[in-house]
């Protein structure tokens, strides 16, 4: 799984960027906020990524912050929210605004995003209000989230990997949490996946 890319910003479009990593160009789909944060063409940049695989498509999503990627993963667990809608929401609302909207039950704020009607916005707020507090989204966004990213990032990637292997989200999350408790906060993604797989399968 590709968890992060660091390279040169080669090209951008309305909702995508090409990151040149040692001569290989990775096409990543991004929110407008992430595109704005990447800088100018030719400059060095870093994106946190999530790989989505379906029957007829493989798509790499890119995020300026690990916290934004966490929100993307949470949003796409809601029925009716695909990657395109999730990116539209993250283009309209910052992680902090999204957390406030979900915590406060403000469906109208979520409905500001393109392609999100009142019914879907209400479902998003209702399903995520209890989970919103656990995700990043405070006022000191960039540095604070970046500092907290490594441990959270490895565990989040491990959960995602187990889900891609067919385990239910709750089972994957419990297995990775148990693995992290056994291995410690600094455990690598590969070690977390190895131990979590044994626990989930057993």
């Amino acid at each position: 799984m590709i968890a992060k890319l660091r390279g040169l910003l080669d090209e951008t479009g309305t909702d995508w960027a090409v990151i040149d990593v040692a001569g290989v160009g990775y096409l990543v789909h991004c929110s407008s906020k992430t595109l704005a944060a990447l800088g100018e063409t030719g400059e060095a940049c870093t994106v946190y990524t999530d790989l989505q695989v379906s029957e007829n498509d493989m798509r790499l999503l890119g995020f300026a912050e690990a916290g934004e990627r966490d929100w993307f993963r949470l949003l796409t667990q809601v029925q009716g929210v695909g990657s395109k809608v999730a990116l539209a929401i993250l283009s309209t609302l910052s992680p902090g605004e999204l957390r406030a909207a979900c915590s406060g039950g403000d469906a109208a704020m979520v409905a500001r995003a393109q392609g999100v009607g009142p019914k879907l916005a209400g479902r998003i707020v209702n399903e995520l209000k209890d989970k919103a507090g656990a995700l990043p989204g405070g006022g000191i966004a960039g540095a604070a989230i970046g500092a907290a990213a490594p441990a959270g990032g490895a565990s989040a990637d491990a959960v995602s990997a187990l889900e891609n292997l067919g385990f239910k989200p709750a089972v994957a999350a419990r297995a990775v949490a148990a693995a992290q408790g056994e291995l410690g906060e600094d455990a690598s993604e590969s070690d977390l996946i190895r131990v979590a797989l044994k626990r989930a399968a057993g």
Side-chain angles (χ1 to χ4, degrees):
M1 177 181 292
I2 302 170
K4 184 170 72 172
L5 295 174
R6 181 180 289 121
L8 299 178
L9 182 60
D10 190 65
E11 188 181 357
T12 60
T14 54
D15 60 355
W16 55 267
V18 175
I19 312 297
D20 185 324
V21 182
V24 178
Y26 290 86
L27 175 66
V28 292
H29 297 268
C30 310
S31 71
S32 60
K33 291 183 183 295
T34 287
L35 285 172
L38 291 180
E40 300 295 326
T41 301
E43 291 183 350
C45 63
T46 299
V47 290
Y48 297 89
T49 57
D50 187 68
L51 180 64
Q52 290 204 332
V53 180
S54 63
E55 289 182 13
N56 50 16
D57 189 26
M58 186 182 299
R59 179 171 296 205
L60 196 61
L61 292 305
F63 308 94
E65 300 172 350
E68 186 187 15
R69 180 181 59 185
D70 291 342
W71 270 106
F72 174 84
R73 289 172 172 167
L74 197 59
L75 285 166
T76 52
Q77 290 177 16
V78 177
Q79 183 183 356
V81 180
S83 59
K84 188 174 181 179
V85 170
L87 288 180
I89 293 170
L90 291 168
S91 292
T92 304
L93 302 174
S94 69
E97 291 169 331
L98 190 51
R99 184 172 69 174
C102 291
S103 299
D106 190 351
M109 182 179 284
V110 179
R112 286 164 43 198
Q114 186 175 358
V116 180
K119 187 175 180 180
L120 180 56
R123 184 187 306 147
I124 290 169
V125 166
N126 287 334
E127 291 193 21
L128 301 186
K129 62 183 177 182
D130 294 331
K131 303 176 183 178
L135 287 185
I140 316 175
I145 292 171
S155 61
D157 287 338
V159 171
S160 181
L162 262 66
E163 289 178 11
N164 289 338
L165 291 172
F167 291 99
K168 291 182 178 179
V171 173
R174 279 198 301 270
V176 171
Q180 191 147 46
E182 179 181 327
L183 298 172
E185 290 296 322
D186 296 327
S188 68
E189 179 188 343
S190 58
D191 286 341
L192 285 172
I193 292 172
R194 175 175 52 79
V195 174
L197 272 173
K198 291 179 183 177
R199 290 183 174 269

